[in-house]
Amino acid sequence: MTEAEMLQQLPDRLLPWYRANRRELPWRGTREPYSIWISEIMLQQTRVEAVKGYYARFLEALPTVEALANCGDDRLRKLWEGLGYYSRVRNLKKAAQVIVSKYGGVFPREYADVLSLPGIGPYTAGAICSIAYDMPYPAVDGNVLRVLSRLLDDSSPIDLPENKKRYHDILKDCYPPCAGEFTQALMELGATVCGPNRKPDCQGCPCREMCLGFQRGTAETLPVKCPKRPRRTECLTVFLFSYDGKIAVQKRPEQGLLAGLWQFPNLPGTLELEGALRAASRWGLKPRGIYRQTERTHIFTHICWKMRGYYLEVSSPAEGFIWLTPEEIRRNAALPTAFRQFFEGIDHV
Ligand code: SF4
């Protein structure tokens, strides 16, 4: 039996299981492409539990494509604050502007048009077109790749682009008319029974009888991935300067890592207290006292930040910073998690 013939059995096995076992999630049940799009972009690299609150708040604040297209950048970053991978929200806005200018604010219905939008790749285009319009376009993400590699007992690396394309093409040919349900059933299997970083629950799996990985005892060794690029470590000294109940913040450059977000002043390298005080005076600040020193780590995809934070009370504010109360920072400034962790628990300074 060819791989394609094998996968033809998938809908009959998966759909009844999905209908009986699916988790209730806020974005399940909608056929509205805008909501599906927002949920799919948020769910990239982010856990379901973390996304639930963001999804509800985002749609309440920006219920339509037009609202998103017209939203100010600072407000948009604030709505995304803490979700990470901020290029996602920049692309959401760019795509919304294209939908407004090119399609009159109506989400496109053609796969090629959806795929051409900024920030939308084959996975997201497949998810939107299948779930919103029941079109036979697969959404092949890491979960689906893992399931397919186990079903087919395929030990070739799943993250090779040619393998993703091969799986996409085979899967496309076995789509049933209820394409949206099938897409979600595959995602659900890959997120639960055949989930990541744990032993697959083959006894509870509706595909056990067709699964070569299960039959041959290889499922737990799959999927195979290409070796990861080592993560580089960068050291940083972060300053929480406080004056008169306010804290100094700055906006990051509009390009590069964490573009356009807010940060506490910081310098490369790990400074001892003496060096930190010298740096403060170069900024024109006179520390009156240090009230805390702390170490924090933040991991990005390819970089690990090792940070030392100094909490310094200063005798007067200096130019070049914006001085905000903790409440103003919380309400208005999109502070990425890397810096927010220095700020947690601070109600007044
Ligand atoms: Fe995954 Fe096991 Fe189901 Fe195969 S039988 S798809 S390995 S859970």
Side-chain angles (χ1 to χ4, degrees):
M1 199 188 289
T2 64
E3 290 181 337
E5 283 164 353
M6 237 194 93
L7 293 186
Q8 293 292 333
Q9 311 168 43
L10 260 182
D12 286 345
R13 292 183 187 274
L14 262 186
L15 287 168
W17 169 84
Y18 175 67
R19 287 170 189 146
N21 294 285
R22 67 184 205 167
R23 294 167 297 168
E24 289 309 320
L25 299 172
W27 43 89
R28 285 259 161 88
T30 181
R31 308 296 295 263
E32 219 285 303
Y34 177 66
S35 313
I36 295 165
W37 175 41
I38 301 299
S39 71
E40 287 301 335
I41 298 293
M42 283 187 171
L43 285 163
Q44 289 167 14
Q45 325 267 359
T46 312
R47 290 175 305 106
V48 164
E49 283 310 312
V51 166
K52 285 180 182 172
Y54 282 96
Y55 175 76
R57 281 192 297 277
F58 196 94
L59 285 188
E60 195 185 330
L62 306 172
T64 61
V65 172
E66 285 86 353
L68 172 56
N70 294 321
C71 182
D73 290 344
D74 283 338
R75 183 167 176 235
L76 201 53
R77 289 182 194 121
K78 190 68 189 163
L79 284 167
W80 206 264
E81 181 189 39
L83 262 181
Y85 301 97
Y86 288 84
S87 59
R88 292 184 292 175
V89 74
R90 287 196 295 277
N91 281 328
L92 275 178
K93 179 171 170 178
K94 279 188 210 156
Q97 289 172 331
V98 173
I99 296 171
V100 168
S101 62
K102 197 167 167 189
Y103 304 104
V106 178
F107 210 97
R109 289 188 73 94
E110 293 296 326
Y111 178 79
D113 293 339
V114 176
L115 187 61
S116 72
L117 293 169
I120 294 193
Y123 167 79
T124 311
I128 295 170
C129 289
S130 61
I131 299 171
Y133 310 134
D134 270 335
M135 291 161 80
Y137 288 100
V140 180
D141 67 351
N143 282 343
V144 172
L145 286 168
R146 177 176 54 261
V147 171
L148 294 179
S149 75
R150 288 173 172 172
L151 285 172
L152 300 171
D153 187 24
D154 181 0
S155 59
S156 53
I158 56 164
D159 38 5
L160 289 177
E162 56 266 35
N163 276 345
K164 277 190 195 172
K165 178 157 185 340
R166 181 167 61 88
Y167 281 155
H168 180 278
D169 292 348
I170 303 175
L171 207 49
K172 193 170 184 306
D173 287 338
C174 69
Y175 255 69
C178 53
E181 265 195 313
F182 184 59
T183 288
Q184 292 176 88
L186 257 176
M187 290 173 173
E188 189 74 352
L189 191 78
T192 58
V193 171
C194 198
N197 308 322
R198 61 176 180 266
K199 200 172 164 211
D201 173 18
C202 299
Q203 292 310 322
C205 180
C207 304
R208 196 175 60 242
E209 283 161 30
M210 63 175 279
C211 180
L212 296 180
F214 170 68
Q215 288 162 19
R216 296 174 186 166
T218 56
E220 280 181 58
T221 66
L222 298 168
V224 170
K225 291 186 182 170
C226 298
K228 277 200 179 134
R229 257 204 297 161
R231 200 177 266 139
R232 77 172 185 276
T233 297
E234 291 180 357
C235 296
L236 228 62
T237 302
V238 177
F239 298 85
L240 269 84
F241 294 123
S242 67
Y243 170 73
D244 195 21
K246 297 183 173 181
I247 298 175
V249 290
Q250 302 170 306
K251 208 158 198 199
R252 290 180 64 82
E254 289 296 332
Q255 301 293 328
L257 186 66
L258 305 176
L261 298 171
W262 291 83
Q263 65 177 3
F264 299 119
N266 58 80
L267 291 170
T270 306
L271 296 176
E272 297 303 326
L273 180 58
E274 208 176 298
L277 295 175
R278 270 202 304 274
S281 94
R282 279 198 297 277
W283 272 316
L285 292 163
K286 275 206 192 85
R288 282 203 299 225
I290 169 168
Y291 59 94
R292 204 189 310 173
Q293 177 185 329
T294 181
E295 312 281 332
R296 293 280 184 271
T297 298
H298 185 77
I299 293 175
F300 300 95
T301 310
H302 301 303
I303 309 171
C304 171
W305 273 2
K306 289 205 174 295
M307 297 173 285
R308 172 172 293 173
Y310 288 104
Y311 296 67
L312 298 167
E313 193 184 344
V314 296
S315 53
S316 59
E319 300 285 313
F321 302 115
I322 294 173
W323 297 81
L324 299 176
T325 64
E327 177 52 24
E328 286 169 332
I329 293 176
R330 246 172 233 118
R331 213 179 36 235
N332 300 324
L335 198 63
T337 306
F339 295 106
R340 194 148 41 100
Q341 51 186 333
F342 288 98
F343 180 61
E344 272 157 13
I346 293 184
D347 294 320
H348 60 274
V349 286

